[in-house]
């Protein structure tokens, strides 16, 4: 019992809920995790700022207040927020048509995109709209992230090759291969091999050397900061910047100032849709990560609190001149492995990053841009989720098609087009499934109270009674199909005098469905065939009780199929009743 109580989430809902139940035993883990995550964040945040088309120090600024803002309102004890690849790409893609990358206007738009996203998320949290996460299905999210990952890889190839931009085609690249900066490419490939070695083999080698599994895995995840240090040392000693290797350049020393520029109303209107898209995607991604981590620790999260936490994080990022942020998977996993117990670990990480900005930030001026590009490539390549596509295609072709089409839409139509296409396909797939309902003729398994499909099991049927189980809600898209199935069953059982509709799987009947059932029942009554219901759920029954269909046309409603079968099977009716009956 003590162990179970210790593993429960220390907080609840509200501001600093976790702090009200904080225990001294958690402090060492939070301090260690804060230190480890801050070391990891530095190269990542600089790389993702470059991906977003912003100066690299903006990534560091976006790693300060967001961690503190999330700690104030967030409900996850493990999630680490900050710049991530997806928000970096979305920022660049959504703002590129509005301003030149690198311009002051572009930076202002990126800041206002973060602020607007923060406001939207925070307001959604106050309105308790956490269910918005359900609007993006797993195939849509997986397809979007896979498509975005491919775009990110393509966007970093020029940095890896030392080119100003990516050639129009692979053939052009082969033709103009002499334009490739061999020094940049060589440095990038060496760093790439080191990072791939760290990702796949280093932990195993460290374990064989005697390191504990957890420590070996943690050290392997921190390899990027070692690669960054080595690359900067090689750049300085080999004077690579003077030999044509692009580097970060001068970085300002000190903390960012609170940022405010009165926005242009036209720009604000233009940013509303991008802010809504980036808010929805970042919320769904963050909640998915937080839920996954919470399950492992037997904790829980509150989706509405997550909206508030992410809203505060993005507001904090915008106020210090940063860009849109959300929860990062690799960063959060490292946070857990380093011993984080509460969001205090994020606060510690923010303080350490602030200290770095105050003291040693200028040393990163010697960091080659190709190293940041390689860090991005290694981080995002696993996001290309071919396994999910294969699994979805094998299990459900509609979901597989949605996943593939969303990814293709992101590549061909852009981020907005890909997301909209994925959502439309998800809705279309759901309507398609609903329009093809399963209606089964059922009978009783001998000697039991169980009822099964007559086409799948050896069952007993009652004379003159047709029992039909409708396995779908009855709504406008499937009314014709359900009516056809019922009439077909009546043709197969021509001596039917009693029709029993088993409604155990029906949660809702819309107006179109009700009209169909009423017209069908009226036609059956003219043929002296009575309609009965069984296993109608309470909420559905509440709606049906006021309808003429239930009051005037349905003969009887039974609490169970078993009772209905016994009752209807014992009825003795003549082949035809008098007209007055």
């Amino acid at each position: 019992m003590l162990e179970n109580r210790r593993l429960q989430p220390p907080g609840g809902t509200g501001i600093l809920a976790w702090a009200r139940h904080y225990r001294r035993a958690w402090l060492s883990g939070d301090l260690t995790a804060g230190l480890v995550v801050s070391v990891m964040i530095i190269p990542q945040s600089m790389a993702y700022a470059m991906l977003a088309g912003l100066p690299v120090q903006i990534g560091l600024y976006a790693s300060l207040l967001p961690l503190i803002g999330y700690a104030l309102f967030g409900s996850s004890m493990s999630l680490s927020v900050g710049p991530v690849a997806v928000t970096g790409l979305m920022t660049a893609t959504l703002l590129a048509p509005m301003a030149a990358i690198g311009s002051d206007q572009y930076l202002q738009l990126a800041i206002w995109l973060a602020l607007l996203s923060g406001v939207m998320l925070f307001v959604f949290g106050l309105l308790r709209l956490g269910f918005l996460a359900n609007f993006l299905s797993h195939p849509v999210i997986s397809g979007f992230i896979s498509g975005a990952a491919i775009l990110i890889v393509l966007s970093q190839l020029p940095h890896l090759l030392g080119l100003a931009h990516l050639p129009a085609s692979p053939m052009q690249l082969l033709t103009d291969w002499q334009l490739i900066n061999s020094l940049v490419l060589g440095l990038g490939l060496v760093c790439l091999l080191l990072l791939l070695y760290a990702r796949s083999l280093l932990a195993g080698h460290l374990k064989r050397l005697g390191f504990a599994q957890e420590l070996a895995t943690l050290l392997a995840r921190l390899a990027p900061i070692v690669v960054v240090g080595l690359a900067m040392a090689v750049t300085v000693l080999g004077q690579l910047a003077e030999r044509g290797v692009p580097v970060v350049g001068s970085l300002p020393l000190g903390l960012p100032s609170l940022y405010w520029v009165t926005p242009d109303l036209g720009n604000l209107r233009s940013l509303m849709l991008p802010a809504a898209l980036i808010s929805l995607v970042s919320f769904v991604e963050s909640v998915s990560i937080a839920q996954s981590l919470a399950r492992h620790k037997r904790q829980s999260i509150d989706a509405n609190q997550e909206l508030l936490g992410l809203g505060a994080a993005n507001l904090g990022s915008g106020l210090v001149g940063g860009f849109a942020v959300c929860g990062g998977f690799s960063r959060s996993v490292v946070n857990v492995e380093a011993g984080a117990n509460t969001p205090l670990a994020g606060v510690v990480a923010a303080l350490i990053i602030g200290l770095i900005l105050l003291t040693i930030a200028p040393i990163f001026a010697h960091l080659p841009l190709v190293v940041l590009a390689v860090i991005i490539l290694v981080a995002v390549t696993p996001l290309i989720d071919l396994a999910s596509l294969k699994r979805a295609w094998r299990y459900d072709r509609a979901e597989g098609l949605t996943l593939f089409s969303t990814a293709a839409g992101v590549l061909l139509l852009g981020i907005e087009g890909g997301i909209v296409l994925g959502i439309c396909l998800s809705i279309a797939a759901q309507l398609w499934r609903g329009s093809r309902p399963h209606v089964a003729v059922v009978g009783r398994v001998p000697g039991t109270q169980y009822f099964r499909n007559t086409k799948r099991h050896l069952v007993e049927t009652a004379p003159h009674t047709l029992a039909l189980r409708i396995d779908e809600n009855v709504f406008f898209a499937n009314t014709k199909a359900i009516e056809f199935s019922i009439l077909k069953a009546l043709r197969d059982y021509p001596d039917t005098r009693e029709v029993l509709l088993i409604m155990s799987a029906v949660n809702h009947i819309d107006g179109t469905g009700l009209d169909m059932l009423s017209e069908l029942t009226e036609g059956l009554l003219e043929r002296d065939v009575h309609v009965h219901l069984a296993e109608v759920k309470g909420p559905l029954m509440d709606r049906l009780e006021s309808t003429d269909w239930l009051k005037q046309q349905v003969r009887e409603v039974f609490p169970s199929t078993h009772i209905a079968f016994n009752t209807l099977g014992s009825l003795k009716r003549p082949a035809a009743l008098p007209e007055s009956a």
Side-chain angles (χ1 to χ4, degrees):
M1 286 297 294
L2 289 175
E3 179 66 11
N4 287 338
R5 192 160 58 244
R6 184 184 72 82
L7 289 172
Q8 293 305 308
T13 59
I15 299 176
L16 287 174
W18 55 271
R20 294 196 290 268
H21 308 283
Y22 198 84
R23 301 179 185 179
R24 183 178 299 177
W26 296 331
L27 183 59
S28 60
D30 285 339
L31 291 176
T32 303
L35 174 62
V36 171
V37 170
S38 66
V39 173
M40 181 183 185
I41 284 178
I42 292 169
Q44 276 193 352
S45 60
M46 295 172 72
Y48 297 145
M50 184 179 75
L51 176 62
L54 298 166
V56 294
Q57 68 268 20
I58 300 299
L60 296 174
Y61 298 163
S63 303
L64 294 172
L65 286 187
L67 288 165
I68 298 173
Y70 181 81
L72 287 173
F73 294 96
S75 65
S76 172
M77 298 299 105
S78 307
L79 189 69
S80 179
V81 300
V84 299
V86 172
T87 57
L89 174 69
M90 291 186 72
T91 297
T93 304
L94 296 171
L95 298 184
M98 302 173 64
I101 292 179
S103 64
D104 289 341
Q105 184 187 8
Y106 183 87
L107 175 58
Q108 291 178 16
L109 289 174
I111 293 169
W112 272 101
L113 182 62
L115 289 171
L116 281 175
S117 176
V119 170
M120 287 182 179
L121 288 165
F122 204 85
V123 171
F124 292 163
L126 292 176
L127 296 175
R128 305 191 66 78
L129 300 180
F131 64 87
L132 288 173
N134 301 328
F135 279 87
L136 292 183
S137 64
H138 176 72
V140 173
I141 284 293
S142 181
F144 166 74
I145 292 177
S146 295
I150 294 173
L151 285 181
I152 292 170
V153 169
L154 294 175
S155 72
Q156 297 311 300
L157 290 181
H159 293 293
L160 180 62
L161 301 175
L163 300 173
H165 56 81
L166 193 65
S169 67
M171 288 303 299
Q172 184 181 347
L173 178 61
L174 293 175
T175 304
D176 300 334
W177 63 269
Q178 68 275 11
L179 298 177
I180 296 175
N181 189 322
S182 57
L183 195 57
V184 171
L185 179 59
L187 179 61
L189 291 177
V190 170
C191 293
L192 180 62
L193 291 174
L194 288 174
L195 289 175
L196 291 175
Y197 164 74
R199 177 181 286 272
S200 57
L201 299 174
L202 180 58
H205 290 169
L206 291 175
K207 186 179 178 182
R208 283 195 287 273
L209 289 174
F211 288 82
Q213 176 66 48
E214 294 79 5
L215 180 58
T217 302
L218 190 59
L219 290 175
R221 292 185 182 276
L222 293 177
I225 196 66
V226 177
V227 172
V228 164
L230 292 174
M232 288 192 297
V234 170
T235 301
V236 172
L237 295 175
Q239 297 181 336
L240 298 186
E242 289 76 10
R243 297 168 62 183
V245 175
V247 295
V248 167
S250 60
L251 287 178
L253 185 67
L255 297 175
S257 303
L258 291 180
Y259 188 92
W260 182 265
V261 173
T262 303
D264 178 81
L265 292 180
N267 286 336
L268 274 185
R269 283 193 292 268
S270 301
L271 286 173
M272 294 302 291
L273 179 58
L277 286 173
I278 208 167
S279 297
L280 183 59
V281 170
S282 62
F283 172 57
V284 173
E285 183 177 356
S286 300
V287 167
S288 299
I289 295 168
Q291 287 176 336
S292 175
L293 296 173
R295 280 194 294 268
H296 285 297
K297 298 182 73 173
R298 285 190 285 171
Q299 296 173 347
S300 61
I301 66 165
D302 184 308
N304 296 308
Q305 283 295 131
E306 289 303 292
L307 280 169
L308 294 174
L310 290 170
N314 278 280
L315 284 169
S317 181
L319 288 175
V320 294
F323 62 104
V325 299
C326 72
F329 182 73
S330 60
R331 189 183 305 138
S332 299
V333 170
V334 169
N335 194 39
V336 173
E337 291 177 349
N341 294 300
T342 69
L344 179 62
V347 177
V348 173
L351 294 175
I352 294 173
I353 294 172
L355 183 62
I356 291 171
L357 284 169
L358 286 170
T359 55
I360 62 172
I363 68 170
F364 293 102
H366 304 290
L367 178 61
L369 295 180
V370 66
V371 177
L372 295 179
V374 167
I375 291 173
I376 292 173
L377 290 174
V378 173
V380 304
T381 302
L383 299 179
I384 304 174
D385 195 359
L386 296 179
S388 286
L389 175 60
K390 182 179 179 181
R391 186 167 56 250
W393 186 262
R394 185 180 299 164
Y395 177 72
D396 188 329
R397 292 292 173 87
E399 287 201 348
L401 180 62
T402 299
L403 195 159
F404 177 79
S405 299
T406 304
V410 170
L411 292 173
L412 300 175
L413 305 175
I415 285 175
E416 305 103 310
I419 293 176
V420 171
L421 177 62
I423 293 174
C424 290
L425 285 175
S426 290
I427 295 173
Q430 190 63 33
L431 288 174
W432 178 75
R433 292 190 193 97
S435 69
R436 303 169 71 249
H438 182 249
V439 179
V441 177
V442 302
R444 180 164 48 199
V445 178
T448 73
Q449 296 184 17
Y450 298 111
F451 291 81
R452 294 293 184 265
N453 192 334
T454 57
K455 293 182 179 179
R456 295 176 179 270
H457 302 272
L458 293 175
V459 294
E460 301 171 339
T461 58
H464 309 297
T465 299
L466 176 63
L468 294 164
R469 190 185 68 230
I470 302 174
D471 293 335
E472 181 61 74
N473 292 329
V474 184
F475 67 110
F476 67 93
N478 64 17
T479 54
K480 293 298 183 184
I482 291 175
E483 182 180 22
F484 176 81
S485 297
I486 294 174
L487 293 176
K488 181 179 182 301
L490 285 166
R491 287 195 297 270
D492 294 338
Y493 296 85
D495 60 342
T496 297
R497 314 308 301 165
E498 314 291 338
V499 174
L500 176 66
L501 299 181
I502 303 169
M503 313 290 278
S504 56
V506 180
N507 297 307
H508 177 70
I509 300 175
D510 72 358
T512 305
L514 185 64
D515 289 342
M516 179 274 293
L517 291 171
S518 179
E519 292 172 5
L520 177 66
T521 304
E522 183 178 356
L524 293 177
L525 286 173
E526 292 175 356
R527 294 158 51 184
D528 195 33
V529 177
H530 296 156
V531 173
H532 310 264
L533 304 181
E535 301 186 29
V536 183
K537 294 182 178 179
L540 178 59
M541 193 65 185
D542 293 340
R543 295 174 64 89
L544 293 177
E545 282 179 339
S546 62
T547 65
D548 292 339
W549 178 58
L550 190 71
K551 291 178 179 178
Q552 301 175 12
Q553 296 177 313
V554 173
R555 175 59 64 94
E556 192 167 356
V557 179
F558 297 96
S560 73
T561 305
H562 176 66
I563 295 174
F565 222 66
N566 289 341
T567 302
L568 298 178
S570 62
L571 289 179
K572 302 296 183 183
R573 289 207 295 140
L577 293 178
E579 188 84 23
S580 60

